[in-house]
């Protein structure tokens, strides 16, 4: 009998050649990054990009992030300035995406950028993705490996289930960070379009200016920042002090009792740990058949800003 998990593949030298061949031949594949798992394809290939949009059921106007191995490769496709350089030096490779201007002679396919003149670029830190990027002659367009508006995957099995075993995924274990990269707009007025593990304060300290977080739909700059997103597909209610036994209760901090229906993001009130547990909990709550989720108050500082952003949109 065929092993049903055969589409979850180990990262070894034999498979490395396989993976590279899939990507070179305009195929798409699930890959680990330090934030969440992505669905990767050649950013210079219309065929690959079309596949990504189709499999994810993603709106065409919602641009993809293009992932590079290093700066010199990115410079072939985009225009970078002094401010970019400052932040890049501090945070990349790592969990941050920069919205920058695309060059006129850029090889990135317009479809990947939702036909915008800008593009989101990221330099991921995860070893597997870096090994691949180094070997490839093109950057990887890579949205999170989930169906549009759903929860981002944080382990290979999530990707497997998301696409009913139709997509190969490279096993890189559990995502270290667990939520998507910070998206920083560097075209026109600098602002944060999606908060993440790299906090507004950290970026402000480098740029020495105050930053706005513009995460709602009114800024069509980031068409992908749809209000309803990251949704586990069941109603979610925020800022609750108590929760009926029959519903799942997502909590934070040690003051909440450990009960059968409670899912504590971090008993020691650590926001990084909470971010790492968030999507894992969304999926296991759904799997256990709960019909509703209550969520206690989560501090809205530092990484808490990103967690509250995802909770708000998941509860819309
Ligand atoms: O951590 C991450 O960023 C993951 C991993 C796989 O790298 N990727 C990810 O991609 O979260 P995705 O497609 O799920 O989210 C990309 C976000 C969307 O909200 C999109 O609208 C925004 O980035 N974005 C991409 N290009 C943009 C652009 N040119 N202007 C404004 N927003 C852009
Ligand atoms: Mg996504």
């Amino acid at each position: 009998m065929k092993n049903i998990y055969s589409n979850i593949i180990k990262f070894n030298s034999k498979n490395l050649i396989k993976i590279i061949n899939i990507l070179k031949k305009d195929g798409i594949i699930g890959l680990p990054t330090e934030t969440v798992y992505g669905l990767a394809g050649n950013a210079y290939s219309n065929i690959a990009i079309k596949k990504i949009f189709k499999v994810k059921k993603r709106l065409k106007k919602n641009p993809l992030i293009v992932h590079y191995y290093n700066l010199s490769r990115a410079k072939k496709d985009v225009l970078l300035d002094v401010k970019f350089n400052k932040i890049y030096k501090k945070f990349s490779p790592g969990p941050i995406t920069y919205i920058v201007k695309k060059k006129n002679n850029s090889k990135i396919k317009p479809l990947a950028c939702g036909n915008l003149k800008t593009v989101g670029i990221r330099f991921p830190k995860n070893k597997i993705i870096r090994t691949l990027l180094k070997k490839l002659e093109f950057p990887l367009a890579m949205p999170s490996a989930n169906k549009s508006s759903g929860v981002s995957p944080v382990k290979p099995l999530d990707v497997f289930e998301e696409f009913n075993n139709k997509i190969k995924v490279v096993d890189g274990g559990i995502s270290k960070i667990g939520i998507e990269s910070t998206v920083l707009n560097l075209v026109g007025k600098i602002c944060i379009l999606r908060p993440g593990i790299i906090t507004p304060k950290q970026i402000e300290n480098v740029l020495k200016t105050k930053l706005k977080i513009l995460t709602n739909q009114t800024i069509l700059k980031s068409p992908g920042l749809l209000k309803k997103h990251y949704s586990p597909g069941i109603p979610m209610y925020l800022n609750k002090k108590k929760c009926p036994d029959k519903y799942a209760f997502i909590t934070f901090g040690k003051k909440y009792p450990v009960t059968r229906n409670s899912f504590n993001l971090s008993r020691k009130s650590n926001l990084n740990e909470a971010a790492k547990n968030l999507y894992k909990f969304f999926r296991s709550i759904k799997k256990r058949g709960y019909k509703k989720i209550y969520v206690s108050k989560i501090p809205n500082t530092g990484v808490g800003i990103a967690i509250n952003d995802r909770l708000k949109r998941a509860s819309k």
Side-chain angles (χ1 to χ4, degrees), residues 33 35-39 56 58 62-65 67 97 99 113 116 118-120 122 142-146 152 179-181 183 193-194 221-225 229-230:
T33 83
T35 54
V36 298
Y37 274 73
L39 186 59
K56 274 186 66 90
R58 180 168 172 128
N62 186 2
L64 309 175
I65 296 173
H67 297 67
T97 296
I99 307 300
C113 313
L116 298 170
T118 58
V119 53
R122 179 157 111 77
M142 190 163 60
S144 51
N146 53 278
S152 295
I179 56 169
E180 309 80 359
S181 63
V183 177
L193 298 177
R194 179 173 72 186
K221 204 154 208 163
S222 203
L225 297 170
H229 215 132
Y230 315 112

Side-chain angles (χ1 to χ4, degrees), residues 15-26:
N15 284 339
L16 177 65
I17 299 167
K18 245 195 210 166
I19 299 160
I20 286 179
N21 275 332
I22 290 173
L23 290 165
K24 275 189 177 166
K25 289 182 183 155
D26 302 316

Side-chain angles (χ1 to χ4, degrees), residues 29 59 63 70 82 95 100 102 125 185 207 210 218 228 238 240 267 281 284 307 312:
I29 186 164
L59 290 176
N70 63 17
V82 181
V100 295
K102 209 163 73 154
K125 193 167 186 169
N185 172 51
L207 290 179
K210 192 109 187 90
T218 53
K228 185 181 173 298
L238 307 184
K240 294 287 180 194
R267 287 194 56 77
F281 286 179
S284 51
I307 296 172
K312 251 183 242 153

Side-chain angles (χ1 to χ4, degrees), residues 89-101:
K89 266 191 200 140
K90 185 89 185 171
F91 301 115
S92 290
I96 181 163
T97 296
Y98 310 96
I99 307 300
V100 295
K101 279 190 192 142

Side-chain angles (χ1 to χ4, degrees), residues 82 208-209 214 249 315:
V82 181
K208 311 231 168 1
T209 45
L214 297 176
F249 195 19
S315 68

